[in-house]
Amino acid sequence: MTYRLEHQYGKAESRVVRIVRDTARHEIVDLNVTTALRGDFADAYLVGDQSKVLPTDTQKNTAYAFAKEKGIATIEQYGLELARHFVAETAPVTGARIEIEEYAWERAVVGGAEHDHTFLRKGQEVRTAAVTVDATGEYVIAGLKDLVILKSTGSEFHGFLKDGYTTLPETDDRIMATSLDVKWRYAGTDVDWDASYDAARALMIEQFATLHSLALQQTLWHMGTAVLDRHPEIVEIRLTAPNKHHFDYDIGRFGIEQHGEVFHADDRPYGLIEAAISREDAPAAHEAWRASLGAA
């Protein structure tokens, strides 16, 4: 019997917090960093030979050291610094992937003024980046997750296929809510990362808000194409949106009129709507989308 081995290894979820304290007014950057190295490490798996293996602890240490040595202007820049380092400085490494989540903080307001060194964790939305560097090039995938967004009208759902098990009523006015997980791939690395991220995020929120939606699928298409239309530096976008259902609650049984005002929020089971949109002339992604943990 013969087998084929595919492998990579790294250090998952190093919680890197960088405090910039060059002045009395401090800054905070709060990250979750996962590294993965690719190359010919088969002997480590087949016979336990570690001679080509850079320890995962070293990868962790590098992530912390680079937070000070290289700085964290943006998570995309920081990820590129790490990935380039592992490929250039570690001979057996032919490719590196760095996945980063950024947790946002805002300054506490004390006595009507922002405090210099006290911060409050912002909402659950998380900015993300995945950087891959290998022999085929450098690839940056930016994005966000857990962006919970809701519109109280301007959404319909009707005309759908029905069978003997269908119970869902049609509606021409409903709450539409989701928790967005969106990732987009850049054509290159000469990008104003913060400006591009902020603009893409704003465009998606605008489309969600202003499009009179006949389905969440339609909304995702318009969100994705709006980003691609306005941002030539972005060549592909993937959107995942669980449908956070809200159902009318029957308060009529209590003699209270209900005009789409009181709802039961049902978190599961939920519809899971997904879309991937790319330019026809998008450059090849190669290994850019292959996750650092598990299968693609």
Side-chain angles (χ1 to χ4, degrees):
M1 181 72 71
T2 58
Y3 304 95
R4 183 180 67 181
L5 170 67
E6 295 183 9
H7 59 276
Q8 61 184 23
Y9 78 98
K11 182 67 87 176
E13 300 197 49
S14 295
R15 291 288 280 105
V16 178
V17 177
R18 169 73 159 102
I19 303 295
V20 179
R21 49 193 307 149
D22 299 339
T23 69
R25 186 176 176 84
H26 296 176
E27 305 289 343
I28 183 171
V29 182
D30 185 357
L31 307 180
N32 192 27
V33 182
T34 293
T35 62
L37 304 185
R38 299 168 181 173
D40 182 12
F41 308 115
D43 286 348
Y45 292 83
L46 301 179
V47 297
D49 181 355
Q50 306 298 315
S51 60
K52 295 180 180 179
V53 171
L54 184 72
T56 65
D57 190 67
T58 304
Q59 297 176 43
K60 175 199 71 177
N61 291 342
T62 307
Y64 283 96
F66 271 36
K68 175 64 184 295
E69 291 183 342
K70 305 294 184 179
I72 309 173
T74 66
I75 57 175
E76 293 86 356
Q77 163 267 326
Y78 173 69
L80 280 166
E81 295 276 8
L82 281 171
R84 290 166 177 166
H85 165 80
F86 289 127
V87 173
E89 302 299 329
T90 309
V93 175
T94 59
R97 180 180 175 88
I98 314 298
E99 294 186 355
I100 305 172
E101 300 175 346
E102 180 177 8
Y103 309 119
W105 293 79
E106 60 186 357
R107 293 188 183 278
V109 176
V110 179
E114 291 184 342
H115 198 266
D116 283 345
H117 54 264
T118 302
F119 303 88
L120 305 175
R121 176 73 181 270
K122 293 180 71 174
Q124 64 186 27
E125 176 190 345
V126 175
R127 180 173 171 176
T128 65
V131 175
T132 302
V133 173
D134 59 22
T136 66
E138 299 181 342
Y139 309 90
V140 176
I141 295 171
L144 54 84
K145 69 175 188 177
D146 300 331
L147 174 57
V148 179
I149 185 169
L150 176 151
K151 60 194 292 184
S152 55
T153 189
S155 174
E156 307 180 21
F157 192 61
H158 52 75
F160 46 81
L161 190 66
K162 302 178 181 68
D163 66 12
Y165 299 105
T166 301
T167 59
L168 184 70
E170 297 190 349
T171 179
D172 59 6
D173 187 9
R174 66 170 182 170
I175 287 178
M176 185 167 72
T178 188
S179 177
L180 287 170
D181 184 342
V182 186
K183 298 178 176 65
W184 54 88
R185 178 166 63 94
Y186 287 101
T189 59
D190 185 15
V191 177
D192 184 335
W193 303 115
D194 283 343
S196 183
Y197 174 86
D198 290 343
R201 179 183 181 277
L203 275 171
M204 289 187 288
I205 293 172
E206 177 185 326
Q207 288 298 311
F208 186 94
T210 60
L211 177 73
H212 187 91
S213 178
L214 301 179
L216 185 52
Q217 290 92 329
Q218 179 196 23
T219 297
L220 291 190
W221 170 258
H222 281 267
M223 291 168 68
T225 54
V227 171
L228 294 175
D229 286 345
R230 295 279 292 275
H231 290 276
E233 75 275 16
I234 297 173
V235 297
E236 182 179 4
I237 186 167
R238 299 184 180 186
L239 308 97
T240 299
N243 201 332
K244 291 185 164 295
H245 299 296
H246 290 71
F247 298 108
D248 282 335
Y249 195 81
D250 182 14
I251 58 176
R253 54 189 163 162
F254 311 127
I256 304 171
E257 291 188 0
Q258 160 79 315
H259 302 291
E261 298 158 293
V262 180
F263 299 85
H264 165 63
D266 198 4
D267 66 344
R268 57 177 57 85
Y270 52 84
L272 184 60
I273 314 303
E274 299 176 288
I277 310 167
S278 60
R279 302 184 189 279
E280 289 187 357
D281 60 349
H286 295 286
E287 297 289 289
W289 289 103
R290 184 154 71 92
S292 60
L293 299 176

